[in-house]
């Protein structure tokens, strides 16, 4: 699915359907956890929102007008966590950071497993 295919029920959001560069999603995990993390759309969303991992998730979510929350089932909001890729970790905390990055909350864990399956299938096709 592409960002352009993720219009909303009220009609397409021109700011998203006219993007010419890839949407960027970012995760951040603290070396020493001090908070449960947060969900951001460039700025923090509501304090009651929890990210799918022990860290921060930043993405161009389609939010409520008051930017206090978002609908996780909206096509764009469902696609962005799916598109969040895990990169290589290095350093002495890499093992714990890797566990944090793959320890998604139960409500989100299916997305992580599905992303893994898609990645494996893509790599298998590319290896042929």
């Amino acid at each position: 699915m592409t960002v352009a295919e993720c219009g909303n029920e009220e009609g397409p959001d021109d700011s998203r359907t006219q993007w010419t560069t890839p949407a960027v999603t970012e995760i951040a995990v603290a070396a020493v956890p001090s908070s449960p993390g947060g969900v951001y759309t460039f700025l923090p969303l509501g304090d009651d929102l929890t990210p799918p991992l022990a860290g921060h998730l930043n993405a161009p979510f389609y939010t409520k007008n008051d930017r206090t929350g978002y609908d996780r089932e909206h096509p764009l909001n469902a696609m962005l966590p799916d598109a969040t890729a895990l990169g290589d970790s290095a350093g002495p905390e890499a093992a714990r950071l890797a566990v944090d990055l793959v320890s998604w909350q139960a409500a989100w864990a299916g997305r992580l497993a599905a992303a893994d399956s898609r990645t494996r299938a893509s790599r298998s096709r590319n290896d042929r």
Side-chain angles (χ1 to χ4, degrees), residues 19-122:
W19 280 350
T20 58
T21 59
V24 174
T25 63
E26 303 165 310
I27 54 175
V29 179
V32 179
S34 60
S35 73
V39 178
Y40 295 75
T41 297
F42 309 107
L43 295 170
L45 295 178
D47 290 336
D48 59 332
L49 296 176
T50 56
L53 67 158
H56 301 284
L57 173 61
N58 180 46
F61 292 110
Y62 182 75
T63 64
K64 293 179 177 179
N65 287 336
D66 63 5
R67 294 182 50 88
T68 59
Y70 68 102
D71 176 5
R72 285 187 0 190
E73 301 306 317
H74 184 280
L76 177 66
N77 297 341
M79 179 191 70
L80 291 168
D82 291 348
T84 303
L86 303 177
D88 293 331
S89 297
E93 291 295 314
R96 191 194 56 78
L97 294 176
V99 170
D100 285 350
L101 291 173
V102 298
S103 298
W104 289 42
Q105 295 176 10
W108 294 80
R111 294 185 186 280
L112 187 61
D116 178 61
S117 294
R118 285 191 306 274
T119 300
R120 289 174 188 269
S122 175

